[in-house]
Amino acid sequence: MEVYYIPLVVIALYYALYYFFTRNFNYWKKRNVRGPEPMALFGNLKESALRQKNIGLVMQEIYDSYPEEKVVGMFRMTTPSLLIRDLDILKHIMIKDFELFADRGQEFSKQGLGQNLFHADGDTWRALRGRFTPIFTSGKLKQMFGIMHDRADIFMDYVSKKAENNLEFEIHSLIQKYTVSVISACAFGLDLQNLDNKLEDLELIDKLVLEPNFGLEVDMMFPGLLKKLGFSLLPKPVGVFFNKLVQNVMTLRGGKPSNRNDFMDLILQLREMGNVKSANFGDMQTSLEITDDVIAAQAFVFYVAGYETSATTASYLLYQLALNQDVQDKLIAEIDEVTEAHNGQITYESLKEMKYFNKVSDETLRLYSIVEPLQRKCATDYKLPGTDITIEKGTIVLVSPRGIHHDEKYYPKPEVFDPERFSPEEVGKRHPCAYLPFGIGQRNCIGMRFGKLQTALCVTKLLRKFRIEPSKNTKQVLGVDKNRIIIGPENGIYVNFVPRK
Ligand code: HEM
């Protein structure tokens, strides 16, 4: 008899689940906000949740599908979120009304690695940003340049040896060797001499952190649940690894700054200054004790945010030089001229003088912005300027830099690589929010100057020695890796390094 109930139970369960996973899907319709039709459970992120497409491409497609809309109502899994397309609204959210949108809405813990600058929110973030901003000034970077330069020389020796046997390189993984050694040296004083021996632990960290895990989707579906349950977005071994690493470095330095002038020294100097109040970020007086856990969390985020982003930027840049030999000619001429004027040395100052390099680098990051989407959480009910729409407290708003950077309204023929888009005249004609590879506003990328510097150093050193040319494996169109949380090339980028005459 009971057996007859089984189909009924299955059907009831099916409907209950279906209801649960679609219960919010009238949310934007009720508010007259247009957007793509969501799918049960996945909302509008089915392809990224199933790892069929990088989330950056999914967001760009949503952006492209609504050219007339200022905002697009969408669903991150089952949670209503809003994609901002209009640049004036974007400016309000990211800059003018920043106080209401300071959070990213990804904080998963107030302890351990959760105290890192990227994931932290609220007072913890304010205190962290206030205290750590001084270690990214131009002056501090200049002091660190020597460490970076040594790493670049080791890298050039490595490449030159390899190039004796084979001109073709897969440049994404190649340049990662350089950025891993730079960040390891600058963030925690680790001198990786043999670039082929990327530490096994660091390989593992790469896998654990930069490959998407389903914690992200759970957090989208049930915002705040992971934090309540004490689950981390980051697997435990990551925390253990960075704590141990930082402990070792601090023990070696006797808990005091050495004379290396790396991030670890700068953080130890900050610690010696004690619990300084900082009111730089908003009205709130915030303070923060720099504990070992706080140091480990920042070492973690500087490492993870620092190496892959710059390696990807440099490899896309070299790829575009291979395809655009005229741009490369002009860039090499500039590098040679400026370097000769500095007695054949590439220095912090000489890199600053390379104006054309900056244009090439800016255009690279327009075409291939790497961190997608940008995200903020609304701290209060908020009427979007210039619309009748009020978003509720707690709503996640998203921005697609890739969508904006490929929008022909701002960049005619967006798929063409043209560094002249970044001449001062052209930049002056554009909306200030039309370019955001490093994000924008008070919560933008804290490591922007560091990232630009290590990319510039690597590329200029390479171009002093080699021309970059297409190889038989150079693709005309690059795919995007589906299995990374940031944008990067699928199956690498192949080019030839041809020694310059
Ligand atoms: C080409 C290189 C890089 C790119 C394209 C890049 C891009 C970004 C973007 C788009 C954001 C989010 C900004 C926002 O939400 O408005 C970000 C945040 C961040 N980046 Fe970078 N980044 C790069 C290099 C670096 C480096 C070298 C470091 C550290 C050494 C770093 C550390 C961080 C940190 C800590 C945050 C969080 C800042 C906060 O929330 O206060 N990044 N980055």
Side-chain angles (χ1 to χ4, degrees):
M1 181 70 186
E2 281 148 19
V3 156
Y4 297 117
Y5 287 115
I6 292 176
L8 286 181
V9 171
V10 170
I11 290 169
L13 202 63
Y14 171 82
Y15 277 106
L17 282 175
Y18 185 81
Y19 169 77
F20 184 74
F21 288 124
T22 58
R23 68 197 184 285
N24 288 327
F25 286 178
N26 268 334
Y27 186 89
W28 291 119
K29 282 196 185 117
K30 278 196 279 183
R31 288 164 176 78
N32 284 326
V33 178
R34 289 190 63 209
E37 237 4 91
M39 178 185 225
L41 177 66
F42 297 109
N44 303 113
L45 298 186
K46 181 180 151 232
E47 289 164 304
S48 62
L50 296 180
R51 314 295 179 237
Q52 295 164 340
K53 211 176 252 180
N54 186 290
I55 189 161
L57 294 191
V58 175
M59 294 305 303
Q60 185 187 7
E61 280 168 16
I62 297 176
Y63 177 98
D64 288 346
S65 304
Y66 294 88
E68 303 306 325
E69 302 303 315
K70 291 185 172 182
V71 295
V72 181
M74 56 171 285
F75 296 85
R76 292 159 74 243
M77 310 301 282
T78 48
T79 309
S81 314
L82 198 68
L83 173 68
I84 310 296
R85 293 188 83 263
D86 179 81
L87 298 187
D88 290 329
I89 299 181
L90 196 153
K91 189 170 171 187
H92 273 277
I93 288 179
M94 304 297 251
I95 301 171
K96 292 187 178 163
D97 294 327
F98 173 76
E99 268 311 299
L100 306 175
F101 292 92
D103 290 352
R104 202 167 266 132
Q106 292 185 336
E107 187 174 71
F108 57 88
S109 170
K110 292 244 175 242
Q111 312 294 324
L113 291 193
Q115 304 170 83
N116 80 72
L117 252 172
F118 189 88
H119 289 100
D121 272 341
D123 285 356
T124 312
W125 173 76
R126 277 168 223 280
L128 285 170
R129 185 83 188 208
R131 296 229 53 192
F132 285 92
T133 294
I135 72 174
F136 286 94
T137 59
S138 316
K140 298 286 192 291
L141 268 188
K142 204 172 156 184
Q143 289 175 4
M144 231 180 284
F145 187 72
I147 304 178
M148 225 181 240
H149 198 274
D150 289 348
R151 301 287 114 196
D153 283 344
I154 294 175
F155 176 69
M156 282 309 296
D157 288 346
Y158 177 86
V159 174
S160 304
K161 264 203 198 92
K162 295 252 167 202
E164 285 168 11
N165 304 321
N166 192 0
L167 295 186
E168 189 181 58
F169 286 89
E170 192 293 286
I171 48 177
H172 186 222
S173 55
L174 178 74
I175 297 174
Q176 274 177 352
K177 291 179 191 296
Y178 159 76
T179 53
V180 163
S181 81
V182 171
I183 295 280
S184 304
C186 291
F188 27 78
L190 211 63
D191 286 328
L192 302 176
Q193 289 296 332
N194 181 348
L195 296 189
D196 271 330
N197 264 355
K198 193 168 128 184
L199 291 184
E200 261 175 43
D201 285 342
L202 292 177
E203 295 264 14
L204 181 71
I205 297 303
D206 179 281
K207 255 190 142 26
L208 292 176
V209 178
L210 289 173
E211 291 183 4
N213 71 55
F214 289 105
L216 289 172
E217 277 78 20
V218 172
D219 197 51
M220 288 177 191
M221 199 153 17
F222 305 108
L225 182 71
L226 293 180
K227 194 165 152 187
K228 272 196 199 118
L229 297 179
F231 289 130
S232 172
L233 266 183
L234 302 167
K236 213 167 173 189
V238 181
V240 173
F241 173 77
F242 278 97
N243 268 315
K244 240 205 258 161
L245 190 63
V246 164
Q247 285 301 334
N248 285 345
V249 179
M250 289 202 303
T251 309
L252 276 174
R253 297 183 189 189
K256 301 220 169 301
S258 64
N259 55 5
R260 269 181 70 99
N261 286 322
D262 54 14
F263 282 126
M264 196 56 78
D265 265 6
L266 296 170
I267 295 174
L268 289 171
Q269 278 165 21
L270 281 181
R271 184 152 83 166
E272 288 196 334
M273 285 160 60
N275 202 353
V276 183
K277 293 256 179 206
S278 157
N280 285 348
F281 292 87
D283 308 330
M284 241 175 275
Q285 284 285 319
T286 48
S287 62
L288 177 85
E289 195 189 336
I290 299 187
T291 61
D292 292 359
D293 272 3
V294 168
I295 298 179
Q298 303 336 301
F300 154 77
V301 81
F302 296 162
Y303 176 75
V304 171
Y307 84 89
E308 175 73 335
T309 44
S310 296
T312 307
T313 304
S315 43
Y316 279 133
L317 193 159
L318 294 176
Y319 167 72
Q320 282 298 337
L321 293 185
L323 298 187
N324 296 280
Q325 292 288 323
D326 52 334
V327 173
Q328 188 172 172
D329 289 342
K330 214 169 151 184
L331 185 57
I332 286 180
E334 178 185 76
I335 292 172
D336 286 353
E337 191 189 324
V338 174
T339 311
E340 292 317 322
H342 285 260
N343 302 320
Q345 301 298 315
I346 295 174
T347 63
Y348 182 83
E349 287 73 21
S350 76
L351 290 174
K352 291 262 154 281
E353 285 172 29
M354 294 184 190
K355 304 276 178 261
Y356 190 63
F357 179 86
N358 277 336
K359 291 185 194 171
V360 172
S361 163
D362 286 349
E363 175 65 345
T364 303
L365 279 167
R366 177 194 68 81
L367 210 46
Y368 308 102
S369 48
I370 289 168
V371 181
E372 295 268 346
L374 305 180
Q375 179 170 326
R376 299 289 187 270
K377 182 174 154 185
C378 185
T380 163
D381 289 357
Y382 179 81
K383 183 169 176 308
L384 294 172
T387 74
D388 298 328
I389 304 162
T390 297
I391 52 174
E392 287 183 298
K393 177 179 174 179
T395 304
I396 295 286
V397 294
L398 303 163
V399 174
S400 168
R402 205 176 157 96
I404 294 168
H405 294 173
H406 289 247
D407 188 332
E408 54 190 13
K409 224 169 25 199
Y410 312 119
Y411 299 96
K413 298 197 184 146
E415 302 313 318
V416 173
F417 183 78
D418 176 10
E420 290 312 323
R421 297 181 200 273
F422 289 90
S423 67
E425 306 77 64
E426 289 302 313
V427 171
K429 287 184 205 159
R430 272 193 300 269
H431 194 292
C433 296
Y435 187 62
L436 10 92
F438 293 96
I440 198 156
Q442 294 89 318
R443 199 150 186 187
N444 70 348
C445 174
I446 199 170
M448 175 172 76
R449 287 203 198 99
F450 185 98
K452 283 185 167 185
L453 191 64
Q454 67 171 341
T455 306
L457 180 59
C458 172
V459 172
T460 46
K461 285 237 168 207
L462 280 169
L463 290 178
R464 282 289 281 170
K465 193 138 194 206
F466 301 101
R467 278 197 74 88
I468 315 301
E469 292 184 3
S471 73
K472 59 182 185 315
N473 293 309
T474 306
K475 291 185 196 141
Q476 281 305 309
V477 179
L478 295 174
V480 174
D481 197 337
K482 322 177 206 3
N483 291 312
R484 305 289 274 178
I485 54 172
I486 62 172
I487 299 246
E490 191 174 36
N491 303 323
I493 302 178
Y494 290 85
V495 294
N496 282 341
F497 285 2
V498 180
R500 283 178 61 194
K501 307 237 159 47

